[in-house]
Amino acid sequence: ILGRDIESGILTIINKIKGSCQTDTLAEFESNLSEYQIKEVNRLLNKNQIGKANLLDDKIQAIFAFCDNISTIPELITKVQMVFSDENAPIQFGTIHKSKGMEAENSYILDRDNMPSKRSMANPDLYQGELNVLFVSLSRSKNFMGFVVTEEK
Protein backbone atom coordinates (compact mmCIF):
# COMPACT_ATOMS: atom_id res chain seq x y z
CA ILE A 1 0.00 0.00 0.00
CA LEU A 2 1.32 3.39 -0.94
CA GLY A 3 0.39 5.67 1.91
CA ARG A 4 -0.57 3.54 4.88
CA ASP A 5 -2.24 6.72 6.12
CA ILE A 6 -5.20 5.96 3.84
CA GLU A 7 -6.11 2.87 5.89
CA SER A 8 -5.41 4.65 9.15
CA GLY A 9 -7.59 7.61 8.21
CA ILE A 10 -10.47 5.38 7.14
CA LEU A 11 -10.27 3.25 10.29
CA THR A 12 -10.14 6.37 12.47
CA ILE A 13 -13.41 7.59 10.98
CA ILE A 14 -15.01 4.13 11.25
CA ASN A 15 -14.05 3.86 14.93
CA LYS A 16 -15.31 7.39 15.65
CA ILE A 17 -18.71 6.60 14.09
CA LYS A 18 -18.78 3.13 15.69
CA GLY A 19 -18.60 4.85 19.08
CA SER A 20 -21.87 6.65 18.36
CA CYS A 21 -23.73 3.45 17.41
CA GLN A 22 -25.92 1.39 19.71
CA THR A 23 -25.49 -1.78 17.63
CA ASP A 24 -22.95 -3.28 15.22
CA THR A 25 -25.34 -3.19 12.25
CA LEU A 26 -24.49 -1.09 9.22
CA ALA A 27 -27.90 0.58 8.95
CA GLU A 28 -27.30 2.75 12.02
CA PHE A 29 -23.60 3.14 11.15
CA GLU A 30 -24.31 4.42 7.62
CA SER A 31 -26.92 6.86 8.93
CA ASN A 32 -24.48 8.24 11.54
CA LEU A 33 -21.71 8.36 8.93
CA SER A 34 -23.91 10.38 6.59
CA GLU A 35 -24.71 12.89 9.36
CA TYR A 36 -21.01 13.12 10.23
CA GLN A 37 -20.12 13.68 6.57
CA ILE A 38 -22.55 16.58 6.19
CA LYS A 39 -21.52 18.20 9.48
CA GLU A 40 -17.75 17.86 9.14
CA VAL A 41 -17.45 18.63 5.43
CA ASN A 42 -19.57 21.77 5.90
CA ARG A 43 -17.49 22.77 8.93
CA LEU A 44 -14.31 22.54 6.87
CA LEU A 45 -15.85 24.37 3.93
CA ASN A 46 -17.01 27.18 6.23
CA LYS A 47 -13.37 27.54 7.33
CA ASN A 48 -12.40 27.65 3.62
CA GLN A 49 -10.42 24.42 4.03
CA ILE A 50 -11.53 23.02 0.69
CA GLY A 51 -8.67 20.53 0.34
CA LYS A 52 -9.34 19.03 3.77
CA ALA A 53 -13.07 18.91 3.04
CA ASN A 54 -12.40 17.03 -0.22
CA LEU A 55 -10.04 14.59 1.50
CA LEU A 56 -12.55 13.85 4.26
CA ASP A 57 -15.35 13.46 1.72
CA ASP A 58 -13.19 11.02 -0.30
CA LYS A 59 -12.49 8.89 2.78
CA ILE A 60 -16.16 8.78 3.71
CA GLN A 61 -17.16 7.83 0.16
CA ALA A 62 -14.60 5.02 0.36
CA ILE A 63 -16.19 3.83 3.62
CA PHE A 64 -19.62 3.77 1.98
CA ALA A 65 -18.13 1.70 -0.87
CA PHE A 66 -16.62 -0.74 1.65
CA CYS A 67 -20.10 -1.17 3.19
CA ASP A 68 -21.40 -2.96 0.10
CA ASN A 69 -22.25 -6.64 0.62
CA ILE A 70 -21.57 -6.73 4.36
CA SER A 71 -23.87 -6.23 7.34
CA THR A 72 -21.85 -5.40 10.47
CA ILE A 73 -19.22 -2.93 11.62
CA PRO A 74 -16.71 -5.69 12.50
CA GLU A 75 -17.06 -7.01 8.92
CA LEU A 76 -16.42 -3.47 7.66
CA ILE A 77 -13.22 -3.15 9.70
CA THR A 78 -12.02 -6.57 8.53
CA LYS A 79 -12.77 -5.67 4.90
CA VAL A 80 -10.79 -2.41 5.12
CA GLN A 81 -7.86 -4.20 6.75
CA MET A 82 -7.89 -6.93 4.10
CA VAL A 83 -7.95 -4.46 1.21
CA PHE A 84 -5.00 -2.54 2.64
CA SER A 85 -3.02 -5.66 3.58
CA ASP A 86 0.45 -6.03 2.08
CA GLU A 87 0.30 -9.84 2.22
CA ASN A 88 0.30 -11.25 -1.31
CA ALA A 89 -1.07 -7.97 -2.63
CA PRO A 90 -1.39 -8.16 -6.43
CA ILE A 91 -2.60 -4.56 -6.46
CA GLN A 92 -1.00 -1.46 -5.00
CA PHE A 93 -3.38 1.16 -3.66
CA GLY A 94 -2.27 4.72 -3.23
CA THR A 95 -3.24 8.31 -3.46
CA ILE A 96 -2.33 10.28 -6.53
CA HIS A 97 0.09 12.30 -4.42
CA LYS A 98 1.87 9.13 -3.23
CA SER A 99 2.16 7.83 -6.80
CA LYS A 100 3.89 10.94 -8.12
CA GLY A 101 7.14 9.95 -9.81
CA MET A 102 6.13 6.28 -10.03
CA GLU A 103 4.91 4.17 -12.95
CA ALA A 104 2.91 0.97 -13.26
CA GLU A 105 2.09 -1.37 -16.11
CA ASN A 106 -1.62 -0.80 -15.49
CA SER A 107 -3.29 1.97 -13.51
CA TYR A 108 -6.85 2.60 -12.42
CA ILE A 109 -8.44 5.78 -11.18
CA LEU A 110 -11.38 5.72 -8.82
CA ASP A 111 -14.17 8.19 -9.63
CA ARG A 112 -12.48 10.22 -12.35
CA ASP A 113 -15.58 12.42 -12.50
CA ASN A 114 -14.55 13.91 -9.14
CA MET A 115 -11.35 15.36 -10.62
CA PRO A 116 -11.04 18.28 -10.44
CA SER A 117 -13.44 18.67 -7.55
CA LYS A 118 -16.47 20.86 -8.01
CA ARG A 119 -15.47 22.83 -4.91
CA SER A 120 -12.17 23.87 -6.49
CA MET A 121 -13.81 25.61 -9.44
CA ALA A 122 -14.47 28.76 -7.40
CA ASN A 123 -10.74 29.24 -6.70
CA PRO A 124 -8.45 29.51 -9.76
CA ASP A 125 -5.30 28.52 -7.83
CA LEU A 126 -6.95 25.51 -6.23
CA TYR A 127 -8.46 24.52 -9.59
CA GLN A 128 -5.03 24.69 -11.28
CA GLY A 129 -3.57 22.56 -8.48
CA GLU A 130 -6.24 19.95 -9.04
CA LEU A 131 -5.59 19.97 -12.79
CA ASN A 132 -1.93 19.29 -12.00
CA VAL A 133 -2.94 16.35 -9.78
CA LEU A 134 -5.18 15.09 -12.59
CA PHE A 135 -2.20 15.16 -14.96
CA VAL A 136 -0.13 13.14 -12.47
CA SER A 137 -2.89 10.55 -12.19
CA LEU A 138 -3.26 10.20 -15.96
CA SER A 139 0.46 9.80 -16.56
CA ARG A 140 1.25 6.86 -14.20
CA SER A 141 0.43 3.99 -16.55
CA LYS A 142 2.79 2.39 -19.07
CA ASN A 143 0.25 0.17 -20.87
CA PHE A 144 -3.32 0.60 -19.66
CA MET A 145 -5.32 3.28 -17.88
CA GLY A 146 -8.69 2.22 -16.48
CA PHE A 147 -11.39 4.06 -14.61
CA VAL A 148 -13.43 2.59 -11.74
CA VAL A 149 -16.87 4.15 -11.39
CA THR A 150 -18.85 3.88 -8.17
CA GLU A 151 -22.57 4.27 -7.79
CA GLU A 152 -23.95 7.32 -6.03
CA LYS A 153 -25.36 6.60 -2.58
Side-chain angles (χ1 to χ4, degrees), residues 47-114:
K47 292 175 143 183
N48 204 30
Q49 295 179 332
I50 298 169
K52 287 183 179 181
N54 287 339
L55 183 60
L56 177 62
D57 195 51
D58 288 346
K59 288 178 184 175
I60 292 172
Q61 289 303 320
I63 294 169
F64 279 121
F66 280 119
C67 289
D68 286 348
N69 301 316
I70 58 171
S71 57
T72 68
I73 298 170
E75 288 177 305
L76 173 61
I77 292 170
T78 299
K79 191 174 185 180
V80 169
Q81 290 170 334
M82 285 176 53
V83 165
F84 288 96
S85 171
D86 287 333
E87 295 177 25
N88 303 317
I91 299 172
Q92 281 190 329
F93 289 92
T95 64
I96 295 168
H97 293 285
K98 297 286 182 179
S99 69
K100 191 173 182 178
M102 302 177 92
E103 288 185 323
E105 293 299 319
N106 303 305
S107 297
Y108 296 86
I109 296 176
L110 178 64
D111 284 339
R112 162 58 183 96
D113 291 340
N114 291 330

